Amino acid sequence: MAQVAVFFSEVAANIKVKKDTTRMFDLLTIHKVEFTKTDVSIDEEAKAYMKEHSQAKPGVLPLLFVRGSFKGTLIEMEEANEDGALLQWLGLDN
């Protein structure tokens, strides 16, 4: 798994999930964070990993993982960004 990975669904019917996914991608891109995108709608193994290793409520997407460990949802990511501490929150500030 890449250092930073976003688990999302390309076929999410919920508009909020789609907007949240775009926002997470945008925040990572703006901060020049390299990341992989994992579409759990087509990758059952990744979906199982995501469910097993995250503390998010079922159905909540996108989810962010750093070095294979669950980091959070867009809510936590937005809070860190608003505090000017996104890279620190991700553990990539060194």
Side-chain angles (χ1 to χ4, degrees), residues 51 54-61:
K51 286 181 177 182
S54 77
Q55 294 85 39
K57 293 179 185 177
V60 173
L61 289 173

Side-chain angles (χ1 to χ4, degrees), residues 8 37 55 83 91:
F8 75 107
K37 301 174 183 178
Q55 294 85 39
D83 292 341

Side-chain angles (χ1 to χ4, degrees), residues 1-50:
M1 181 179 292
Q3 191 165 353
V4 176
V6 177
F7 286 68
F8 75 107
S9 175
E10 189 69 47
V11 296
N14 185 320
I15 297 296
K16 182 181 179 335
V17 170
K18 289 182 179 186
K19 286 182 179 181
D20 288 355
T21 300
T22 299
R23 177 67 177 150
M24 187 175 280
F25 292 166
D26 289 349
L27 280 172
L28 292 168
T29 301
I30 288 166
H31 288 278
K32 297 179 174 53
V33 174
E34 292 184 23
F35 64 99
T36 60
K37 301 174 183 178
T38 303
D39 183 353
V40 297
S41 69
I42 59 172
D43 188 335
E44 288 299 321
E45 187 176 315
K47 186 176 185 177
Y49 180 91
M50 176 191 74

